[in-house]
Amino acid sequence: MPTEFKLPALAENVDKVTVTKIFVSVGDTIAKDQTILEIETDKAAAEVPSSVSGTVTEIRAKEGAVLRVGDIVLVVKEDGVAKAAAPAAIAPAKAEPAPKRAAAPAPVAKVAAPAEKPAAKVAVAPTPEEAEAEDGETEQGEGEEPRVIQRGGGVPVPASPSVRRLAREIGVDISQVPGSGSDGRVSLEDVKAHSRLVNTDVRGVTPRMAGGTMPLPDFTRWGDIERLAMNSVRRRTAENMASAWVTIPHVTQFDKVDITQIEQLRKQYGKRTEAAGAKLTVTAIIVKVLATALRKFPQFNSSIDLENNEIVQKKFYNIGVAVDTDRGLLVPVIHNVDQKTVVEIAIEMNELAERARQRKSKLEEMQGGTFTVSNLGGIGGTSFTPIINPPEVAILGISRAHVEPVYVDGQFVPRTMLPLSLSYDHRVIDGADAARFARFLVEALEQPFLLFLEA
Ligand code: CAO
C-alpha cells in the first residue's frame, strides 16, 4: 500500500521551507530516520529524516522548491511505516502540528539561471497571491479545532483558523500579536493592527519598499552579466536588513579596548581550554562579558512594543553570533550565556558555527536571541556599523585588534587595541547609556576583576 511522507512541523513558527537537496531517488529503498531532504528556512539549514520506510515510488518535492508543513514529500510502497513523524536532526516538541493540506506540488517559477545551467528551472517562494490560491482550497475549516501556537514560555496563543490564516498570508508571526480578547485571544483586528505597526515606519515607508523596487537598467548595454538566483538566506537577509535599516533609528557608538592582558591570558590558558575541546577566542570572552553587561544595562536586552507602549525586558541572556557561511550570514544563538563558563561558550560557539557552515543547524538554535555579536576582526577592518537584528535593540561589532602606541604614564607603549562598534536603537537607548555600556565592556575586558564585583 502506498504511504505518503509529509513535511513534518520542524519548529515553532516555521510553516514553509526551501528544499535545497533531495538525497533519494525513485526506486531507492529508504529506512526510517534516513536523511532524505536538506532544507533551509530564512534562518537555518537542516536535514529532514524520513518517518517511513519502503521503496520510493514517487518524489513530489523538488530541489529549489518551497514546501509547506504537511506537503507530500514522497510516496513509498511500504515495507514498514513509522507510527509518528519524529525528526531527529531538527527538534521541537513545541512545534505546531502539521496543517491538513491537500497534496500539491510546490509552485515553480522560471528565473534566469546561471550560465552553467542554462535550462534549469529554479523555484522561488510563492507570491502572496500564489500562497492564497494554495491555501484557499486546503485551509482548515472554521468548524475545526483551532491549532494552538505557543508563545515564549509555552503559553498557547488562542486564535481561530481564519485569524491564523490571515496572519500567515500577510506574513505576521501570530505569536507576536497581542490579543485583545478574553484570555488574550487574537482577533482579525489585532492581526491587522499589528501588521500596520510592524510594516510601517514613522514616515510611512514599508520595508518592502525599502527592499528596492527601482527598475534596473539593461546592464548588457555595457558588458556581459550573469544572473544568480538568490537563496532563501540571502533573500531574507536582504529583506530583514532593509526592514531593520528603515524602521530602526540606528546610532553606532565606537570605542577601543586594550586587550593586551586578555591576549596574554588567552595564550597562557589556550592549551588548557583546547584540552577541554575549545579554542579560546576573543569572541567567546566577549560573549561572557556581555552576560554581565546586559544584566547591568537591561535596556540593551530588550525589545520595543510600540503598540502597547512598552519596553519588553528579557530576563534571559541569549547571544546570537554572526557566522559567515557560503550561503550568507547566519546567526546561531548561544542560550543562557550567564549560566555558562567561557570554555562552555567557546565549545558551543565552535559547534554552532560549524553546524551553520555545514547547513546542519537545528532550527531552535537559531531562535530566541536577545543581543547579537558580529566579529569581523578575523578578516580585517578598523571599524564598521553593524545593523541591528530585530526584535533586538543592539548589536556589538568587533573589528581587527592591532598593536598601536598608547600614551601611558607619560610615555608611548605598544598595546593591543580591539575596536568595538555598538549599534543601538535610539528609540529605546539613549546615547549616554550606549557610551556607558561600551565603557563597561571596555573596563570589564581590561580589568576582569570588575566582573566579580558586578556579576
Ligand atoms: N582581531 C584580531 N584577530 C581576531 C579577531 C579580532 N577581532 N577575531 C578573531 N581573530 C583571530 C582569532 O584569534 C583567530 O586567530 P588564530 O587562529 O591565530 O588564533 C582567527 O582570527 C580566526 O578566529 P575564528 O573566526 O576562528 O574565531 P572567533 O571565535 O573569533 O570567531 C566567528 C567566530 C563565528 C564569529 C567567526 O568565525 C565568523 O564567522 N566571523 C564573521 C562574522 C560575520 O560575517 N559578521 C558579519 C555580520 S554583518 O554582515
Side-chain angles (χ1 to χ4, degrees):
M1 192 186 130
T3 305
E4 295 166 346
F5 170 64
K6 297 178 180 173
L7 185 73
L10 304 176
E12 200 173 344
N13 300 326
V14 174
D15 60 0
K16 67 180 180 190
V17 301
T18 301
V19 178
T20 46
K21 207 168 220 163
I22 300 173
F23 296 108
V24 295
S25 311
V26 170
D28 286 357
T29 303
I30 59 169
K32 185 172 169 276
D33 291 335
Q34 178 179 335
T35 300
I36 51 174
L37 284 184
E38 181 187 80
I39 56 98
E40 67 182 20
T41 69
D42 55 322
K43 293 202 169 142
E47 292 178 343
V48 180
S50 174
S51 60
V52 302
S53 59
T55 305
V56 179
T57 56
E58 190 184 348
I59 297 179
R60 300 263 183 100
K62 289 186 172 55
E63 285 185 7
V66 172
L67 273 186
R68 285 170 185 265
V69 172
D71 278 348
I72 297 172
V73 174
L74 52 74
V75 182
V76 296
K77 199 168 86 199
E78 65 180 332
D79 301 336
V81 182
K83 297 279 179 285
I90 30 193
K94 280 204 323 187
E96 298 174 42
K100 293 173 191 159
R101 301 184 74 256
V108 173
K110 283 183 190 169
V111 300
E116 59 272 25
K117 287 186 181 174
K121 284 179 183 177
V122 182
V124 296
T127 63
E129 294 73 27
E130 286 168 331
E132 190 174 2
E134 262 190 76
D135 286 346
E137 292 182 3
T138 56
E139 185 56 65
Q140 251 174 327
E142 280 293 332
E144 289 184 46
E145 199 57 24
R147 285 188 296 143
V148 176
I149 298 171
Q150 306 241 304
R151 291 197 199 277
V155 184
V157 180
S160 73
S162 59
V163 171
R164 288 193 308 278
R165 183 170 55 220
L166 174 72
R168 260 203 312 280
E169 285 172 358
I170 62 176
V172 164
D173 174 359
I174 200 163
S175 69
Q176 302 296 318
V177 180
S180 60
S182 57
D183 299 333
R185 193 169 184 79
V186 177
S187 68
L188 280 172
E189 278 317 308
D190 294 334
V191 172
K192 287 180 197 165
H194 188 75
S195 168
R196 276 195 295 275
L197 187 77
V198 296
N199 286 321
T200 309
D201 81 346
V202 285
R203 290 160 298 165
V205 179
T206 66
R208 197 172 276 275
M209 288 158 70
T213 49
M214 203 202 306
L216 294 175
D218 177 8
F219 295 112
T220 58
R221 284 167 54 206
W222 301 290
D224 290 344
I225 61 163
E226 185 180 353
R227 283 184 169 268
L228 306 172
M230 279 196 191
N231 66 43
S232 58
V233 174
R234 173 65 51 211
R235 194 171 54 239
R236 287 306 297 261
T237 300
E239 285 170 11
N240 292 345
M241 292 294 135
S243 164
W245 187 247
V246 169
T247 55
I248 301 174
H250 280 71
V251 180
T252 304
Q253 172 77 16
F254 299 100
D255 215 324
K256 263 186 194 175
V257 50
D258 182 340
I259 57 164
T260 313
Q261 194 191 352
I262 291 264
E263 285 298 278
Q264 281 161 3
L265 291 172
R266 224 163 56 80
K267 284 198 185 81
Q268 189 178 336
Y269 291 101
K271 288 259 177 319
R272 192 163 157 169
T273 55
E274 263 168 41
K279 186 173 163 192
L280 184 58
T281 63
V282 77
T283 316
I285 296 168
I286 289 180
V287 166
K288 183 63 193 173
V289 172
L290 277 167
T292 308
L294 292 172
R295 183 174 284 141
K296 188 172 166 68
F297 298 88
Q299 63 273 48
F300 287 82
N301 202 48
S302 71
S303 290
I304 184 165
D305 179 353
L306 283 180
E307 192 174 354
N308 291 304
N309 283 326
E310 285 173 350
I311 309 289
V312 185
Q313 285 188 350
K314 289 150 236 170
K315 309 289 182 196
F316 46 91
Y317 306 93
N318 297 343
I319 309 289
V321 179
V323 177
D324 179 32
T325 79
D326 63 357
R327 304 286 291 166
L329 172 68
L330 290 172
V331 188
V333 177
I334 307 173
H335 291 83
N336 303 313
V337 290
D338 54 321
Q339 295 162 32
K340 292 175 179 162
T341 64
V342 176
V343 174
E344 286 168 337
I345 289 169
I347 292 173
E348 192 171 333
M349 194 169 65
N350 269 347
E351 290 172 353
L352 287 171
E354 205 43 45
R355 277 204 291 276
R357 290 187 174 121
Q358 290 177 2
R359 306 181 193 183
K360 294 200 167 147
S361 299
K362 298 173 185 168
L363 293 172
E364 77 272 15
E365 67 196 22
M366 310 300 288
Q367 299 173 332
T370 60
F371 185 97
T372 297
V373 173
S374 176
N375 181 5
L376 285 173
I379 304 167
T382 54
S383 57
F384 67 108
T385 53
I387 298 181
I388 295 162
N389 186 17
E392 297 164 19
V393 294
I395 178 170
L396 183 71
I398 306 169
S399 296
R400 191 173 194 78
H402 56 275
V403 178
E404 66 181 41
V406 178
Y407 200 62
V408 182
D409 297 334
Q411 58 178 336
F412 282 106
V413 288
R415 306 294 294 178
T416 306
M417 303 300 289
L418 181 74
L420 302 179
S421 315
L422 174 71
S423 292
Y424 59 93
D425 183 335
H426 210 347
R427 293 172 300 179
V428 193
I429 295 166
D430 296 331
D433 288 336
R436 283 186 203 108
F437 184 85
R439 272 286 96 196
F440 177 79
L441 288 179
V442 169
E443 285 165 14
L445 286 162
E446 290 177 353
Q447 307 155 50
F449 183 69
L450 266 182
L451 295 171
F452 290 108
L453 298 179
E454 302 282 351

